[in-house]
Amino acid sequence: MLTDGGAIAIFLIVGIIFGAGGIATSFLIHPRRKNPVKFEPYECGMKTIGPTWVQFKIQYFVYALLFVIFDVETIYLYPWAVKFQSLGMFAFIEMIIFIFILVVGLWYAWKEGALEWS
């Protein structure tokens, strides 16, 4: 039998081989000629008229980040709520601090107008 260190070393070596093997295979089978069509902007198969770069409102990204933050909060709250009885007062205080930090973040986002759709 392998020791814990030996099993980890074999796992690490196999992971490195898989990663390097994928990169090597990609290098061996990729096309050698550059395709000029791939460097053109795609817009319904027609040539573009005007600039091809479009600026998006940053507010879309702010909404997405706020959603991810509070979604991650839910991921941490669910297991805590399931084991609430057996965790004790220390875990309760830690969760109160965690929720307080998130509420402060929500308050700041609200104050800065990140939640207002204009």
Side-chain angles (χ1 to χ4, degrees), residues 33-55:
R33 285 181 281 147
K34 301 276 187 211
N35 189 348
V37 176
K38 288 187 176 183
F39 294 109
E40 292 181 6
Y42 177 76
E43 189 172 316
C44 302
M46 299 170 47
K47 294 280 184 188
T48 57
I49 299 171
T52 57
W53 288 96
V54 178
Q55 290 185 351

Side-chain angles (χ1 to χ4, degrees), residues 62-74 76 98 102:
V62 173
Y63 275 116
L65 287 174
L66 287 173
F67 172 76
V68 168
I69 288 169
F70 290 104
D71 198 36
V72 168
E73 174 191 9
T74 305
Y76 285 118
F98 177 69
L102 288 171

Side-chain angles (χ1 to χ4, degrees), residues 94-112:
E94 283 183 342
M95 191 52 69
I96 293 297
I97 293 169
F98 177 69
I99 292 172
F100 176 75
I101 291 170
L102 288 171
V103 167
V104 168
L106 178 63
W107 171 77
Y108 178 76
W110 197 330
K111 183 184 82 138
E112 291 295 319

